[in-house]
């Protein structure tokens, strides 16, 4: 029954994530094409800043609260009170710092206005109560939150924003979306738990913050690895460079959200198999790595082939400068899919500190390389910084996990899918000189054939499928 509930929760979350991410991506494509690289760069810069400040306002409280509520539902009122009061102070402080910093540091009035309006969404932090739904195992209420927020935001953008000069109205739409989410959360929480009284208790709040702080610090290292580069790009260069980078970065981050969701679902299975036996643990890990290597590397090589046409078709010809950063950033997906297994192993083996150390090193590399490369290489420098950081994080996680258990699969498992993708790419490069339209199909056909020949599991599955469709011979 628990497994059925777990699968149901994951299905709901996955459906909600697909829908909300799809809405977000579509509305940002609409804005990118309408605003142009410069104004769109202002928007991406603002979103990056607010994501950083939102993590500070949260400071790991959502994860910690969900865990504590799941342990003892009688503490809901106490936990919610602590978080609401804590977030009130943090959100007010974050918004004040944001506005003062933008007023004294930024010279562009349009960007200042956008930040001031969009930044008001931080004040909705105390009303983000999804952790209550998680703690009560009522995940059916979580998925609608993100969908509601993005749907209201998209509606506000389509209704209000018509020209680049109206970019600050995007912040108005975001504020309306945040208000709608807060109202939804309050109504659902009241339905599930009754009226919650908010009480000020500094001692209890401080104790809760000390538990949540390590989680928040880990989330900030993730942000540093993936978002420090675009923020520094906005600080050190012009808004147009941020817009070009954002058109490359946004599709990759949309894909990365599903990488995170995959490991969110894989982790419990790894934990159970580690208790059963080393054989089952290694078998599950090997199958998962093989599956994600084939799919992740195929995606990266496919972008090398059609990435330019795809990106320009989606965002427009004015984003031609986004093509190379996009082709660089897409490699973070197969690397994250591979390294995520070894990071999950560290968590399963109770070595969270080592996993955090690997993430912290990745964040530091991203920050330092961004400072070194952005002034000269702009968006390309940001892409290189992020890719290098993800590689360093993956290498450290791999070495630390292998040091914990020598039974883990080695990187030799990558050779076959890498070879098959290389054959696909080489076929495409040769075929395009003779028949451009047939080059992509020819490459894909060779990849499928190579995958069948190199992978016994695919051959077995293909043979079984073919056998079901063939007519049976009479006895």
């Amino acid at each position: 029954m628990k497994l059925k509930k777990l699968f149901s929760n994951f299905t709901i979350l996955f459906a909600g994530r697909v829908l909300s991410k799809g809405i977000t991506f579509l509305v940002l494509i609409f804005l990118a094409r309408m605003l142009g690289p410069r104004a769109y760069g202002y928007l991406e810069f603002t979103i990056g800043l607010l994501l950083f400040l939102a993590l500070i306002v949260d400071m790991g409280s959502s994860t910690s609260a969900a865990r504590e509520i799941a342990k003892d539902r009688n503490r809901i009122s106490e936990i919610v009170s602590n978080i609401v009061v804590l977030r009130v102070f943090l959100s007010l402080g974050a918004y004040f710092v944001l506005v003062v910093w933008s007023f004294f540091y930024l010279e562009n009035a349009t960007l200042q206005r956008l930040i001031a309006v969009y930044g008001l969404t931080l004040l909705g932090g105390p009303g983000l109560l999804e952790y209550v739904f998680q703690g009560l195992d009522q995940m059916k209420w979580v998925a609608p939150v993100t969908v509601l927020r993005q749907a209201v935001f998209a509606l506000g953008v389509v209704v209000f924003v018509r020209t680049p000069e109206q970019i600050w109205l995007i912040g108005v739409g975001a504020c309306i979306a945040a208000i709608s989410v807060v109202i939804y959360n309050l109504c659902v929480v009241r339905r599930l738990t009754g009226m919650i009284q908010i009480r000020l208790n500094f001692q209890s709040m401080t104790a809760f913050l000390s538990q949540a702080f390590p989680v928040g610090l880990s989330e900030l290292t993730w942000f540093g690895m993936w978002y420090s580069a675009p923020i520094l790009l906005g600080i050190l260069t012009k808004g147009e460079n941020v817009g070009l980078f954002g058109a490359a970065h946004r599709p990759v981050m949309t894909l990365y959200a599903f990488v995170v969701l995959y490991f969110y679902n894989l982790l419990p299975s790894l934990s159970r198999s580690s208790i059963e036996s080393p054989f089952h643990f290694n078998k599950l890990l090997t199958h998962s790595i093989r599956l994600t290597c084939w799919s992740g590397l195929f995606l990266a090589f496919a972008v090398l082939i059609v990435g330019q046409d795809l990106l320009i078709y989606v965002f427009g010809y004015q984003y031609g400068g986004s093509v190379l950063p996009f082709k660089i950033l897409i490699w973070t997906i197969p690397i994250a899919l591979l390294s995520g297994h070894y990071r999950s192993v560290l968590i399963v083996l109770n070595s969270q500190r080592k996993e955090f150390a690997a993430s912290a090193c990745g964040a530091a590399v991203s920050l330092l390389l961004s400072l070194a490369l952005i002034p000269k290489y702009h968006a390309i420098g940001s892409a290189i910084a992020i890719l290098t950081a993800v590689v360093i994080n993956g290498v450290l996680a791999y070495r630390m996990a292998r040091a914990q258990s020598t039974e883990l699969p080695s990187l030799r498992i990558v050779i076959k899918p890498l070879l098959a993708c290389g054959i696909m790419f080489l076929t495409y490069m040769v075929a395009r000189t003779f028949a451009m339209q047939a080059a992509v199909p020819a490459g894909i056909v060779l990849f499928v054939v190579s995958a069948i020949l190199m992978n016994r599991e695919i051959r077995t599955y293909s043979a079984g499928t073919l056998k079901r469709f063939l007519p049976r011979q009479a006895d």
Side-chain angles (χ1 to χ4, degrees), residues 206-233:
T206 304
F208 179 81
L209 179 60
S210 65
Q211 295 178 1
F213 185 75
V215 179
L217 201 60
S218 180
E219 291 174 349
L220 287 174
T221 60
W222 170 87
F223 174 89
M225 187 159 52
W226 290 96
Y227 277 94
S228 61
I231 288 181
L232 286 173
L233 183 65

Side-chain angles (χ1 to χ4, degrees), residues 1-10 12-13 65-67 69-71 73 76 130-142 192 264:
M1 192 67 182
K2 289 183 179 180
L3 288 176
K4 185 177 180 181
K5 180 75 171 178
L6 181 64
F7 178 76
S8 176
N9 287 340
F10 175 75
I12 293 171
L13 284 175
R67 180 190 63 201
I69 290 173
K71 291 179 180 178
R73 299 188 177 195
I76 289 179
E130 292 89 339
Y131 54 86
V132 177
F133 312 147
Q134 291 177 287
L136 295 175
D137 202 18
Q138 294 287 332
M139 303 301 288
K140 64 181 180 181
W141 300 106
V142 175
L192 294 176
Y264 176 84

Side-chain angles (χ1 to χ4, degrees), residues 60-385:
S61 59
S62 294
T63 303
S64 300
R67 180 190 63 201
E68 295 304 315
I69 290 173
K71 291 179 180 178
D72 186 0
R73 299 188 177 195
N74 295 323
R75 295 184 59 208
I76 289 179
S77 185
E78 173 197 345
I79 293 170
V80 172
S81 292
N82 287 333
I83 293 180
V84 168
V85 173
L86 176 65
R87 288 183 179 179
V88 165
F89 287 113
L90 290 175
S91 61
L92 287 172
Y95 182 71
F96 175 77
V97 170
L98 176 68
V99 172
V100 172
W101 174 81
S102 65
F103 179 78
F104 284 102
Y105 184 82
L106 301 176
E107 298 178 356
N108 188 285
T110 302
L111 181 56
Q112 288 177 346
R113 193 176 187 184
L114 175 62
I115 288 176
V117 177
Y118 211 136
L120 289 171
T121 56
L122 291 170
L123 303 182
L128 301 181
L129 306 173
E130 292 89 339
Y131 54 86
V132 177
F133 312 147
Q134 291 177 287
L136 295 175
D137 202 18
Q138 294 287 332
M139 303 301 288
K140 64 181 180 181
W141 300 106
V142 175
V145 175
T146 54
V147 176
L148 173 67
R149 184 164 193 165
Q150 299 309 323
V152 174
F153 174 67
L155 181 62
V157 166
V158 172
V159 170
F160 294 123
V161 184
R162 288 287 181 270
T163 65
E165 290 72 26
Q166 295 176 313
I167 189 173
W168 65 276
L169 290 173
I170 298 174
V172 175
C175 289
I176 295 173
I179 292 170
S180 66
V181 167
V182 170
I183 294 173
Y184 171 89
N185 284 338
L186 291 174
C187 292
V188 176
V189 168
R190 184 173 182 179
R191 176 180 175 179
L192 294 176
T193 66
M195 184 65 71
I196 294 178
Q197 296 182 351
I198 304 300
R199 298 177 180 176
L200 186 62
N201 187 331
F202 280 104
Q203 184 176 359
S204 177
M205 185 178 68
T206 304
F208 179 81
L209 179 60
S210 65
Q211 295 178 1
F213 185 75
V215 179
L217 201 60
S218 180
E219 291 174 349
L220 287 174
T221 60
W222 170 87
F223 174 89
M225 187 159 52
W226 290 96
Y227 277 94
S228 61
I231 288 181
L232 286 173
L233 183 65
I235 293 174
L236 299 175
T237 67
K238 298 178 181 179
E240 182 177 356
N241 292 318
V242 186
L244 294 174
F245 180 79
H249 188 246
R250 182 62 54 181
V252 174
M253 292 309 299
T254 301
L255 291 170
Y256 182 73
F258 295 102
V259 174
V260 174
L261 196 62
Y262 176 81
F263 288 107
Y264 176 84
N265 189 49
L266 178 67
L267 189 62
S269 300
L270 280 177
S271 298
R272 286 191 296 270
S273 62
S274 67
I275 297 173
E276 293 173 2
S277 70
F279 173 78
H280 288 99
F281 181 69
N282 186 275
K283 185 177 180 180
L284 174 61
L285 202 60
T286 301
H287 286 324
S288 181
I289 291 176
R290 185 177 290 121
L291 170 68
T292 53
C293 278
W294 280 96
S295 57
L297 286 171
F298 173 78
L299 175 67
F301 274 91
V303 167
L304 283 183
I305 294 172
V306 300
Q308 179 173 343
D309 295 333
L310 180 64
L311 196 71
I312 291 177
Y313 175 78
V314 172
F315 286 94
Y317 286 100
Q318 54 190 334
Y319 289 91
S322 305
V323 172
L324 184 53
F326 179 49
K327 290 185 176 182
I328 294 172
L329 285 172
I330 196 63
W331 287 96
T332 61
I333 299 301
I335 294 170
L337 281 169
L338 178 60
S339 65
H341 291 88
Y342 297 101
R343 289 186 288 108
S344 297
V345 167
L346 290 173
I347 294 172
V348 168
L349 298 179
N350 288 323
S351 297
Q352 292 93 332
R353 290 186 179 181
K354 292 183 178 181
E355 193 276 332
F356 170 75
S359 298
C361 288
V365 168
S366 180
L367 179 63
L368 293 174
L369 276 181
S370 296
L371 290 172
L373 298 177
I374 284 174
K376 185 175 181 180
Y377 299 105
H378 302 160
I380 296 174
S382 291
I384 293 173

